[in-house]
Amino acid sequence: MDRLLVFTAQVAIAHGHRVEVTEQVDPLTEEPVVLALVDLDTGIRYRRQEEPAGEVSRWIGRVLECTITLGGAGARTVLLVDPIGPGATGAKVALRGADAAADAAKAEADRWGGADRPAPVEHERFW
């Protein structure tokens, strides 16, 4: 499941580069917040000023898209990353993906299994 990472900074990483993402769950929103990003192909490290407090998770992914928006209130970068390898997603993201996959599989089974169609009417038999 691809991940969309948004930064309020210029983070130029080329398509296809491998990145290591360090993130922490925000206690208020319960959403993952990126603390650090390392471009494994060039060795460039991007990280927040504040030090992490609490449990962090790390995963590795490959950059699919990088879009940098300039001007206005400041720069903004949007990275589309395909997680690869073990530990690629946090537990909450994995569960969300698993729930979506289960719902899709159930819908497909219902469609192919005929659960949405009424049972055929049996006609009276004459011998």
Side-chain angles (χ1 to χ4, degrees):
M1 181 167 92
D2 297 342
R3 298 277 309 271
L4 195 65
L5 307 176
V6 180
F7 304 96
T8 56
Q10 293 181 10
V11 181
I13 300 178
H15 173 79
H17 279 212
R18 292 179 316 117
V19 292
E20 179 186 65
V21 180
T22 303
E23 58 188 10
Q24 182 177 33
V25 175
D26 184 355
L28 298 175
T29 62
E30 295 185 9
E31 292 294 321
V33 176
V34 176
L35 300 174
L37 183 71
V38 180
D39 184 342
L40 298 174
D41 294 334
T42 63
I44 298 175
R45 299 171 187 269
Y46 303 91
R47 66 177 203 148
R48 292 178 170 260
Q49 263 183 319
E50 63 270 7
E51 292 296 319
E55 188 177 330
V56 297
S57 64
R58 287 185 172 81
W59 53 274
I60 295 176
R62 188 167 305 278
V63 175
L64 299 176
E65 284 182 22
C66 178
T67 305
I68 299 174
T69 306
L70 301 173
R76 181 182 134 164
T77 302
V78 178
L79 286 176
L80 183 62
V81 179
D82 178 26
I84 56 176
T89 59
K92 187 168 190 147
V93 173
L95 286 175
R96 222 177 312 161
D99 287 343
D103 290 342
K106 183 180 179 314
E108 191 69 14
D110 288 345
R111 187 171 74 89
W112 285 97
D116 59 339
R117 288 180 245 144
V121 178
E122 288 190 26
H123 299 289
E124 189 176 331
R125 297 183 187 180
F126 296 101
W127 298 101

